[in-house]
């Protein structure tokens, strides 16, 4: 005859086993899923989706499943189509769902990646609503499609909020800080070292639809300083993007005398030795006068 103490011990042992079994089954199922994750198949699918939805060619390492649920890949190179013709080398990419958004009409993702020594963080949703923050990202771009002067700097805590693509209707906010701005490739203008140190560029802009209105545009702490205002009409390409800006430029300390003389030949006289100029035309071929 089983005593009360033995019966309690037997029930406790059985109850503990039955409570532990579902947990073991869940762990086994998750382990099997992670081990059998079809990373190669997903890699091909992602490349096809990027080409179809964004028009970009991509090269990426096989994605790995993360816990909590998400995807990661160590390398993602995005090649932009003409007329941009450049590659964005993203590293240590992490993507995860915005869980609460899955209950609504616009599910979204959270992402993080490394780019050119800095980081990109943000979110994007099915309806195109996107937030992007870039910090410590090195930027180097030619001012003309086929070469010419090169502008470079470091993006510091710069932020975009709004709808993508840029041609879609909707509101947008841009706050951009580019530090250590340097303009090089100016040997043909008679500069001794062929470059200008321009300090910090600050841009604050708001947009509605295709029109982006600059609320703040300033250049501080360099050999040329200035400010500006105006609008940018966004197009599908740099050639289709139109500029309508008024600028006030003034010589800063250390400006090469040759460039100081050239600055006097454009625009009109402004206060305190500055020059008033207008920047118009397309983003691909702007006109300064």
């Amino acid at each position: 005859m089983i005593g009360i103490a033995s019966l309690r011990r037997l029930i406790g042992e059985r109850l503990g086993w039955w409570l532990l079994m579902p947990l073991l089954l869940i762990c086994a199922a998750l382990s099997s899923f992670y081990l059998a994750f079809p990373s190669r198949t997903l890699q091909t699918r992602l490349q096809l989706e990027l080409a179809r939805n964004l028009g970009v060619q991509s090269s990426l390492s096989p994605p790995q499943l993360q816990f909590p649920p998400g995807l990661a890949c160590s390398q993602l190179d995005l090649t932009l189509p003409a007329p941009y013709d450049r590659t964005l080398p993203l590293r240590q990419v992490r993507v995860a769902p915005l869980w609460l958004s899955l209950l609504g009409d616009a599910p979204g993702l959270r992402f993080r990646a490394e780019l050119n020594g800095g980081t990109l963080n943000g979110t994007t949703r099915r309806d195109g609503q996107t937030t992007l923050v870039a910090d410590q990202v090195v930027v180097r771009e030619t001012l003309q499609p086929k070469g010419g002067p090169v502008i470079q700097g470091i993006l510091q805590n710069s932020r975009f909020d709004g709808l993508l693509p840029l041609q879609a209707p909707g509101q947008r906010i841009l706050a951009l800080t580019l530090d250590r701005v340097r303009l090089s490739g100016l040997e043909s203008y008679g500069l001794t070292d062929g470059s200008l140190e321009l300090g910090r560029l600050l841009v604050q802009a708001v947009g509605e639809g295709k029109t982006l209105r600059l609320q703040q545009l300033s250049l501080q702490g360099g050999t040329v300083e200035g400010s500006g205002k105006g609008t940018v009409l966004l197009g599908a390409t740099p050639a289709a993007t139109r500029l309508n800006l008024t600028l006030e430029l003034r010589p800063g300390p250390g400006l090469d005398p040759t460039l100081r003389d050239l600055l006097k030949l454009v625009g009109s006289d402004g206060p305190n030795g500055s020059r008033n100029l207008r920047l118009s035309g397309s983003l691909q071929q702007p006109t300064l006068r």
Side-chain angles (χ1 to χ4, degrees), residues 127-128 162-172 207-211 234:
D127 59 5
L163 286 174
L164 291 178
L166 293 175
Q167 295 76 37
Q171 293 185 335
R172 298 172 182 84
E208 179 68 38
K210 294 183 178 182
T211 302
L234 300 171

Side-chain angles (χ1 to χ4, degrees), residues 69-254:
L71 292 176
C73 65
S74 59
Q75 174 185 336
L76 173 57
D77 294 330
L78 298 178
T79 301
L80 305 180
Y84 305 101
D85 294 323
R86 61 175 57 89
T87 298
L88 298 179
L90 301 176
R91 299 293 180 265
Q92 304 304 324
V93 181
R94 300 288 185 273
V95 180
L98 292 170
W99 293 107
L100 293 179
S101 73
L102 301 181
L103 303 176
D105 297 329
L109 299 172
R110 175 180 290 106
F111 59 85
R112 183 186 187 280
E114 297 177 1
L115 174 65
N116 295 345
T119 58
L120 296 177
N121 291 278
T123 61
T124 185
R125 295 174 181 263
R126 177 184 293 174
D127 59 5
Q129 188 66 38
T130 301
T131 297
L132 177 63
V133 179
D135 192 31
Q136 303 297 323
V137 176
V138 176
V139 175
R140 179 182 173 86
E141 295 290 337
T142 57
L143 296 182
Q144 298 174 356
K146 296 182 180 180
V150 175
I151 187 169
Q152 62 188 65
I154 302 175
L155 283 174
Q156 302 274 17
N157 198 29
S158 298
R159 184 182 182 95
F160 169 84
D161 286 288
L163 286 174
L164 291 178
L166 293 175
Q167 295 76 37
Q171 293 185 335
R172 298 172 182 84
I173 300 175
L174 175 66
L176 182 147
T177 300
L178 189 63
D179 272 343
R180 289 186 255 173
V181 181
R182 187 170 187 261
L183 187 62
S184 58
L186 301 175
E187 290 82 0
S188 60
Y189 294 92
L191 272 69
T192 304
D193 60 358
S195 64
L196 289 174
E197 302 296 335
L198 299 178
R200 170 179 289 185
L201 175 66
L202 299 174
V203 178
Q204 297 279 345
V206 295
E208 179 68 38
K210 294 183 178 182
T211 302
L212 192 64
R213 188 174 304 278
L214 300 183
Q215 296 182 322
Q216 179 186 13
L217 174 62
S218 65
L219 195 59
Q220 308 169 354
T223 54
V224 176
E225 298 183 328
S227 59
K229 59 182 179 180
T231 59
V232 178
L233 186 61
L234 300 171
T237 65
T241 299
R242 311 300 296 179
L243 305 174
N244 184 17
L245 307 177
T246 56
L247 306 175
E248 180 183 302
L249 299 181
R250 53 190 175 274

